[in-house]
Amino acid sequence: MNHKIFNLGLIIFIGLVFYSKPSFSQSDEEQLKELERYIETRDQSADYNDLQDFLILKPDAFLDINKATYLDFLGINGINAECVKAILNHRRLYGAFVSLLELQTIDAITFESLQLLKRYLTLDSKDLYFKTLWPILKKSDKEIMLKISTSRPLAIGYMPLGNDSVPKYLGSPNAYQLRFRAKVNQNIWYGFNAEKDEGEDFFSAKNRQGFDFYSAHFFIAKRGLIKKIAVGDFQANFGQGLTMSSGLGLGKSAYVLNVKQNNSGLRPFRSFNETQFLRGVGLTVDLKKFESTLFVSRHKIDATLNTIDRDGLLSDGISSLVNTGWHRTDLEKSKKNAVLKVLVGHNLSYKFKTLSLGLVNVYHAYDKPILQKTKLYSQYYFSGKSYLKSGLYFDYWLKNVNFFGETCLSSFNVNGYLVGGIMSLAGDLDLVMVHRNYSKTLNGDGLNSFSENSNSNNEVGTYFGFVFKWAKKRTFSCYVDRYASPWYAFNVDGQGRGTDFLAEYNLKPNKSTVLYVRFKHKLELENNEIGHFNELNFTEKYSFRMHAEAKINPVLSLKTRIEFSNYLIPKNTFSGNMIYVDFIYHPNSVNFSATTRLSFFNVDDYSARIYALENDVLYTYTVVGLSGSGAKIYGILKYKYKSLNLQMRYSFIRYYDRSTIGSSYGTVNSKHLHEINFLIGYAFD
Amino acid sequence: MPTFKTLWIAVLFCSDAQGAYLPSSNKPVALGVGNIAAFKSNPFAANNHPGTLAFANKNSLSLGVESLFLVEGLNMACLSWNYRLNKRQILGLGYNFFGHSAYNESMAKIAIAQKLSPVFGAGLSLDYFRLQLPSENFGVKHLLSIEAGIYASLSSNIDFALHVLNPFRPRIGEYMDERLPFVVNATILYKPNKNAIIASEWHQIMNEKGQLRAGVIYKVSEKMSLRGGAYFKPINLGFGFTYCARNLSVHFDFAMHPYLNLSSAAAITYTSTNESQDF
């Protein structure tokens, strides 16, 4: 975003701030729990704010409980057919719902289903009516917040090293996030984000625009011919994410049944993820049974540029796309906004009774050619400046069975398909099966379909899962996923294959207590230790977790977890364990809450690392992969006074098996690390 | 009197096998139940688990002795006093002694525990540690450390306990930066019925291999309870029993180490009232 747009945004933003009345929305513990179950089995740390939006922000999914149809209800991820039938039966027998709390009286609705339904259902579906924009903007709920983070001791990147007289990191060790969000009912969202990561420069000679990253969005969703309008930064997800899906997608998780991507087209982008979003305009038109979406995105992205010798010809191009979002050193800054990316897409969908069909076309173009065929496994990656992808997807309900799928074709001969079905049997047992076949040439941007790897390509696999519930208190979930990679893949110099298994027994003896045990096992072929070409060995990773949470008095909750992990390679085994205890103090009468976690971990090696989601200040979620031997404690204080929201998080980690923390310029020459986050927010109308 | 070398080898074995410095494993009643001390009924809670101390429902005085592996000189003694300050707070005093005149470790503890709700209690202990080795090599060391523990009933039949020892790892000696170990014990307890409790504990010394422990206590009658348990790698089996006669209880425990032979412990507890103590 250039300087003028930024200044204009700032002026609008400041103007809005002065039209204010108090009100504030806050994320709760339930959202955190749900997010954790989605992301905890992923072996990666990332900015999950956008994924949270993906789960909770459904611009067109707000349903009137007294008008919603069978299919409307089924569109809610996690709600099965038996549950929907029970709601419709209740409505038929007792008439219209007078409160959403009535849902609690329906036996078939579990506590989790109730939480989901409450999120998407309403009793008042009156649509926003407006003639001019200004009254709407005045009417909106707005919040502005600033988050400041820092850590000590400082990493070596902040100090002069060797013969260098200046530090490698250009900026200070403080990170800043400025966020402005506003919304009007479930119809209009607009906002503005600005971020500077730790180590990045801020209003310096090399960065006169101040923050390192800016994002702004304006989004309207309403009933009528014009259904959605997106201006600025937004996300676009269609079908099963095989052809077009920006942002982070859902994959395998402890929600065994939630493998289907209920993509809802356009939605606003509100996170600080610096790479996975679209910037431009989008429009969705509702033509009753047909719905048409057109979107255009144009923005610069980070990339490593290189000159590559291809068949004797030297050519400049993109050797890799960079998605870290770090711009702390001169080298990292040299990759910033190195490539212009243009994306034009169109989606046409058709709904008839229980059948939905969709056709999506996306054209990707770069101002420099992509030259990624530097490794054996990347030989079939796309290379060139532009390509067109087309996908056809469907969603069909046949009684209690939901079939879904998508296939994708492209101008550079990519192809792949995914088909799946979710079946609800008598309310107690739900089954799910997904088969996918992604060719080795299927790659590029906008792939978030169900897969084992982060890239949906070079994979053939079948996933089978079931959830069995009994006595309303007990749930047993299980999945098995068998997959193979026909072509070479990263760290797999040959034809790879593997099996992923998860089993969880969940017990809820009462409303405030949750207990579960989980076993996860993964067996797959990887390169052997020595790295001999084409010598693959099976590696095995399994983990066992015991988790409990309970309310121990009206204001204090306790959450505890013990987890063991093992990573087995030929002739070696690495093991680890982690114990944590959370205390959550939340008195009902005051606007104050405190959370603290004590965690202890002993993990032999990074390969056996144990992931845990840590609570943080508002809109921040940290997934940490714990390895080594150490202890960590963090505490969060949250205080709300009228419209003012103050939050602080302090964390301290101490290692017993090492004298340095981190790597490269981020290395800290110490056994311990202190981190502090401070957030100040203000809400107004 | 055994030679110092014999004793020292035995001490090293014990430290490795028991997974902690010896005074910490001085648990006469826990010996028979896989070294798990996280029971509300443990009369030595002031010495072994400040979290469970919060649930001690009567004043008590306990004296215990323990003999490790039938080796002369590897004897331990401990004294524990639980005093109820009021309905929710308990004061605990504990003293442990291990060794003989040439080498010995002793620890004095003062603990305060509070029941924060009917299902949750927490305790904190301040420990004074004295270590004596032959003076030409080591001398006498005095250290202060802390312990903390919690005990929570998560549901009607599932409890959880956590015990953290020496989180600040006080330094014992300059050589090799020797310190008291940071130890974490996490315990899950399951009560299948009102007369039985099954416990499983993960015992972890930071930067060392952890140890799994398991045990069961069964109340045969109001006067008699039996217990058995094991800890693993190497597997060490134990059993014991408690007999209550009015205000007096006696406890006998035995444990068999696969390489180091039999250990035994005996203890006696005097309580102010004879009302029954929950598991």
Side-chain angles (χ1 to χ4, degrees):
Chain A
M1 187 174 286
N2 65 34
H3 218 72
K4 286 179 183 175
I5 296 173
F6 164 56
N7 290 338
L8 184 63
L10 201 61
I11 291 165
I12 293 170
F13 162 71
I14 292 167
L16 292 166
V17 166
F18 288 99
Y19 286 89
S20 62
K21 278 186 192 171
S23 88
F24 205 86
S25 63
Q26 196 166 352
S27 67
D28 55 30
E29 193 69 18
E30 291 302 324
Q31 278 182 20
L32 186 74
K33 277 186 211 168
E34 185 183 357
L35 189 68
E36 179 171 21
R37 285 177 73 82
Y38 273 114
I39 63 178
E40 64 196 344
T41 52
R42 296 169 183 216
D43 289 350
Q44 61 177 343
S45 297
D47 180 352
Y48 291 108
N49 218 265
D50 189 51
L51 187 63
Q52 193 203 16
D53 270 0
F54 178 80
L55 294 170
I56 64 167
L57 201 64
K58 305 279 184 188
D60 58 348
F62 243 64
L63 300 171
D64 186 331
I65 190 169
N66 290 318
K67 291 177 185 167
T69 63
Y70 182 71
L71 269 186
D72 290 336
F73 283 116
L74 288 174
I76 300 173
N77 229 356
I79 299 300
N80 65 29
E82 289 301 316
C83 186
V84 176
K85 281 180 185 171
I87 296 170
L88 295 174
N89 196 37
H90 183 94
R91 201 167 73 186
R92 186 174 55 80
L93 289 173
Y94 304 104
F97 285 83
V98 292
S99 164
L100 291 182
L101 295 175
E102 262 186 82
L103 290 167
Q104 291 181 42
T105 64
I106 301 173
D107 281 345
I109 297 181
T110 61
F111 180 72
E112 291 76 23
S113 306
L114 183 68
Q115 297 304 313
L116 280 170
L117 289 166
K118 277 162 67 180
R119 190 184 298 163
Y120 298 118
L121 297 178
T122 179
L123 283 168
D124 177 15
S125 65
K126 275 188 281 185
D127 203 20
L128 193 70
Y129 176 76
F130 57 91
K131 285 182 180 174
T132 60
L133 205 56
W134 184 242
I136 297 301
L137 298 184
K138 278 180 70 178
K139 199 180 162 187
S140 55
D141 300 328
K142 309 175 192 78
E143 57 185 0
I144 178 172
M145 57 190 71
L146 175 69
K147 180 185 153 197
I148 303 170
S149 315
T150 193
S151 63
R152 295 290 185 280
L154 293 178
I156 57 171
Y158 296 104
M159 305 159 197
L161 291 172
N163 297 326
D164 294 341
S165 57
V166 292
K168 286 289 179 188
Y169 286 166
L170 302 170
S172 74
N174 304 331
Y176 308 119
Q177 287 184 347
L178 179 67
R179 187 193 297 266
F180 168 71
R181 283 182 173 189
K183 66 168 192 162
V184 186
N185 300 336
Q186 292 295 322
N187 298 100
I188 295 181
W189 292 263
Y190 59 94
F192 171 84
N193 286 344
E195 184 191 48
K196 169 213 174 297
D197 290 316
E198 56 267 31
E200 292 176 343
D201 48 352
F202 188 60
F203 285 113
S204 67
K206 291 183 178 175
N207 181 15
R208 293 183 187 281
Q209 63 180 11
F211 288 95
D212 178 69
F213 173 70
Y214 291 100
S215 169
H217 62 274
F218 185 87
F219 194 93
I220 298 175
K222 57 187 273 296
R223 288 180 178 82
L225 180 67
I226 307 292
K227 192 175 177 187
K228 291 179 191 173
I229 302 169
V231 180
D233 293 348
F234 63 95
Q235 299 287 28
N237 303 280
F238 300 97
Q240 295 304 309
L242 193 56
T243 312
M244 181 61 220
S245 175
S246 56
L248 296 168
L250 302 176
K252 280 182 278 187
S253 76
Y255 289 118
V256 168
L257 300 175
N258 290 8
V259 293
K260 180 186 151 195
Q261 309 251 5
N262 279 349
N263 287 322
S264 55
L266 304 178
R267 65 183 170 85
F269 172 76
R270 310 192 300 171
S271 91
F272 289 104
N273 187 326
E274 295 183 30
T275 54
Q276 293 175 304
F277 62 91
L278 304 177
R279 179 167 286 174
V281 292
L283 175 74
T284 299
V285 180
D286 188 359
L287 303 164
K288 295 187 178 172
K289 288 183 180 176
F290 287 92
E291 192 176 287
S292 177
T293 301
L294 181 68
F295 54 95
V296 180
S297 169
R298 183 184 185 276
H299 68 293
K300 289 188 170 177
I301 56 174
D302 295 0
T304 304
L305 302 178
N306 215 338
T307 303
I308 294 178
D309 185 350
R310 300 181 67 196
D311 304 326
L313 295 170
L314 293 178
S315 50
D316 288 329
I318 305 163
S319 59
S320 65
L321 298 172
V322 180
N323 55 15
T324 61
W326 295 113
H327 306 114
R328 302 165 297 183
T329 62
D330 282 325
L331 181 63
E332 287 173 350
K333 283 199 79 137
S334 70
K335 298 176 182 178
K336 186 179 178 182
N337 294 335
V339 176
L340 176 69
K341 180 185 170 187
V342 176
L343 191 146
V344 181
H346 176 256
N347 177 71
L348 181 69
S349 63
Y350 168 74
K351 279 186 185 175
F352 178 72
K353 293 185 178 174
T354 60
L355 175 69
S356 302
L357 289 171
L359 173 68
V360 58
N361 300 292
V362 192
Y363 176 75
H364 296 254
Y366 303 86
D367 67 343
K368 297 180 181 65
I370 293 181
L371 311 164
Q372 293 187 116
K373 299 184 177 182
T374 53
K375 301 270 195 279
L376 191 58
Y377 65 80
S378 62
Q379 287 307 298
Y380 290 93
Y381 283 13
F382 165 73
S383 94
K385 289 181 81 169
S386 65
Y387 61 94
L388 175 71
K389 274 167 69 176
S390 298
L392 190 65
Y393 59 88
F394 75 96
D395 193 312
Y396 177 59
W397 280 92
L398 179 66
K399 295 185 177 175
N400 286 355
V401 189
N402 180 203
F403 297 100
F404 56 90
E406 182 169 353
T407 183
C408 174
L409 291 167
S410 150
S411 59
F412 65 101
N413 194 31
V414 300
N415 59 75
Y417 66 86
L418 171 148
V419 285
I422 303 172
M423 189 189 308
S424 179
L425 297 172
D428 297 330
L429 181 65
D430 295 280
L431 305 174
V432 61
M433 199 168 102
V434 179
H435 177 73
R436 72 274 189 192
N437 188 336
Y438 307 141
S439 78
K440 59 195 173 197
T441 55
L442 178 62
N443 55 71
D445 287 350
L447 284 175
N448 266 325
S449 57
F450 183 87
S451 68
E452 164 61 24
N453 301 307
S454 53
N455 291 328
S456 305
N457 75 318
N458 186 30
E459 186 176 308
V460 181
T462 303
Y463 170 97
F464 174 77
F466 69 89
V467 175
F468 181 58
K469 294 177 186 167
W470 71 102
K472 285 194 85 173
K473 291 180 179 175
R474 296 176 170 84
T475 308
F476 182 76
S477 315
C478 179
Y479 75 67
V480 183
D481 185 32
R482 287 199 59 122
Y483 52 88
S485 50
W487 180 246
Y488 297 77
F490 177 71
N491 205 25
V492 184
D493 293 337
Q495 291 187 334
R497 65 179 189 276
T499 307
D500 190 11
F501 171 82
L502 179 142
E504 179 182 299
Y505 172 68
N506 197 310
L507 172 68
K508 290 191 178 116
N510 55 55
K511 280 188 178 176
S512 59
T513 307
V514 178
L515 308 163
Y516 73 79
V517 290
R518 180 187 298 169
F519 177 73
K520 192 171 187 301
H521 178 264
K522 188 183 243 182
L523 180 74
E524 61 185 355
L525 277 174
E526 283 185 2
N527 288 350
N528 67 14
E529 272 181 286
I530 307 157
H532 285 165
F533 183 75
N534 227 354
E535 282 188 17
L536 300 178
N537 290 113
F538 276 107
T539 61
E540 198 174 354
K541 184 173 184 179
Y542 60 87
S543 63
F544 177 71
R545 172 188 297 182
M546 291 178 284
H547 180 97
E549 48 194 87
K551 201 160 188 168
I552 50 183
N553 69 30
V555 296
L556 189 67
S557 301
L558 182 144
K559 191 157 80 171
T560 184
R561 178 179 295 177
I562 303 173
E563 182 160 346
F564 302 94
S565 72
N566 266 275
Y567 182 72
L568 287 77
I569 54 175
K571 298 179 186 172
N572 216 341
T573 300
F574 301 106
S575 59
N577 64 76
M578 179 203 65
I579 300 162
Y580 79 61
V581 185
D582 282 359
F583 295 97
I584 301 150
Y585 174 73
H586 197 168
N588 296 325
S589 56
V590 294
N591 294 326
F592 171 76
S593 69
T595 304
T596 185
R597 172 175 294 181
L598 301 167
S599 61
F600 312 98
F601 52 94
N602 261 270
V603 183
D604 292 344
D605 187 74
Y606 184 71
S607 53
R609 63 196 176 277
I610 297 174
Y611 282 88
L613 182 72
E614 294 187 348
N615 209 335
D616 209 318
V617 295
L618 194 59
Y619 301 132
T620 307
Y621 304 98
T622 314
V623 179
V624 291
L626 295 169
S627 65
S629 177
K632 186 172 185 180
I633 180 169
Y634 72 74
I636 301 165
L637 298 175
K638 295 182 179 178
Y639 178 68
K640 203 170 110 183
Y641 178 73
K642 294 184 179 174
S643 305
L644 190 67
N645 197 359
L646 297 172
Q647 301 188 2
M648 194 187 83
R649 180 186 194 266
Y650 166 75
S651 81
F652 172 75
I653 190 164
R654 168 77 159 88
Y655 285 93
Y656 299 101
D657 63 336
R658 63 191 64 182
S659 54
T660 62
I661 302 170
S663 60
S664 186
Y665 297 128
T667 303
V668 175
N669 288 319
S670 172
K671 294 176 178 176
H672 52 81
L673 188 69
H674 304 262
E675 291 173 304
I676 190 159
N677 295 345
F678 182 77
L679 181 139
I680 180 166
Y682 184 70
F684 49 98
D685 273 352
Chain B
M1 184 73 185
T3 63
F4 176 75
K5 191 178 171 185
T6 310
L7 284 173
W8 187 238
I9 290 168
V11 167
L12 291 176
F13 263 109
C14 295
S15 300
D16 181 51
Q18 305 261 335
Y21 267 65
L22 291 168
S24 303
S25 57
N26 191 350
K27 303 169 181 173
V29 178
L31 185 71
V33 63
N35 260 357
I36 299 174
F39 297 101
K40 291 179 186 174
S41 57
N42 182 2
F44 291 93
N47 301 53
N48 301 143
H49 203 302
T52 59
L53 182 65
F55 290 88
N57 61 0
K58 52 198 168 188
N59 298 334
S60 67
L61 182 68
S62 304
L63 175 68
V65 289
E66 189 176 331
S67 172
L68 284 176
F69 317 127
L70 302 175
V71 176
E72 192 185 342
L74 289 187
N75 298 324
M76 294 187 272
C78 59
L79 184 69
S80 183
W81 182 48
N82 299 344
Y83 178 70
R84 288 173 63 85
L85 298 170
N86 53 49
K87 283 185 178 176
R88 299 173 69 186
Q89 288 180 317
I90 317 277
L91 176 73
L93 295 175
Y95 178 75
N96 299 338
F97 179 84
F98 163 78
H100 53 87
S101 56
Y103 169 82
N104 60 68
E105 299 172 18
S106 53
M107 188 179 277
K109 304 185 179 200
I110 179 165
I112 184 85
Q114 180 158 345
K115 205 192 274 190
L116 296 162
S117 85
V119 294
F120 179 68
L124 192 67
S125 173
L126 179 67
D127 303 347
Y128 162 73
F129 185 74
R130 181 183 183 275
L131 177 67
Q132 182 181 330
L133 277 168
S135 56
E136 64 270 21
N137 295 326
F138 208 90
V140 177
K141 292 287 176 185
H142 305 272
L143 301 166
L144 279 178
S145 186
I146 60 165
E147 289 178 49
I150 58 165
Y151 192 100
S153 294
L154 302 171
S155 72
S156 57
N157 53 7
I158 296 178
D159 295 353
F160 170 77
L162 184 77
H163 182 203
V164 179
L165 292 90
N166 314 321
F168 303 111
R169 302 201 312 153
R171 181 178 285 166
I172 299 170
E174 299 292 327
Y175 178 68
M176 300 282 286
D177 193 28
E178 196 180 4
R179 291 168 181 270
L180 280 183
F182 179 7
V183 183
V184 178
N185 298 314
T187 318
I188 291 173
L189 303 103
Y190 173 65
K191 284 177 269 189
N193 59 53
K194 63 176 184 177
N195 291 324
I197 188 163
I198 301 166
S200 177
E201 181 171 276
W202 184 255
H203 169 79
Q204 180 70 57
I205 301 176
M206 285 298 156
N207 211 14
E208 289 187 23
K209 289 282 180 192
Q211 185 185 69
L212 181 67
R213 298 166 170 180
V216 59
I217 300 180
Y218 180 70
K219 197 186 272 187
V220 181
S221 68
E222 281 302 312
K223 289 187 173 179
M224 183 83 171
S225 64
L226 303 175
R227 54 187 168 268
Y231 60 80
F232 299 92
K233 289 188 178 177
I235 187 165
N236 190 324
L237 297 167
F239 69 96
F241 66 89
T242 292
Y243 181 79
C244 304
R246 300 193 176 209
N247 293 14
L248 277 180
S249 306
V250 289
H251 320 274
F252 291 98
D253 292 88
F254 306 90
M256 190 67 193
H257 192 281
Y259 315 127
L260 299 173
N261 216 333
L262 185 76
S263 298
S264 60
I268 186 165
T269 301
Y270 173 78
T271 53
S272 57
T273 63
N274 55 7
E275 61 184 274
S276 66
Q277 169 74 53
D278 191 14
F279 279 126

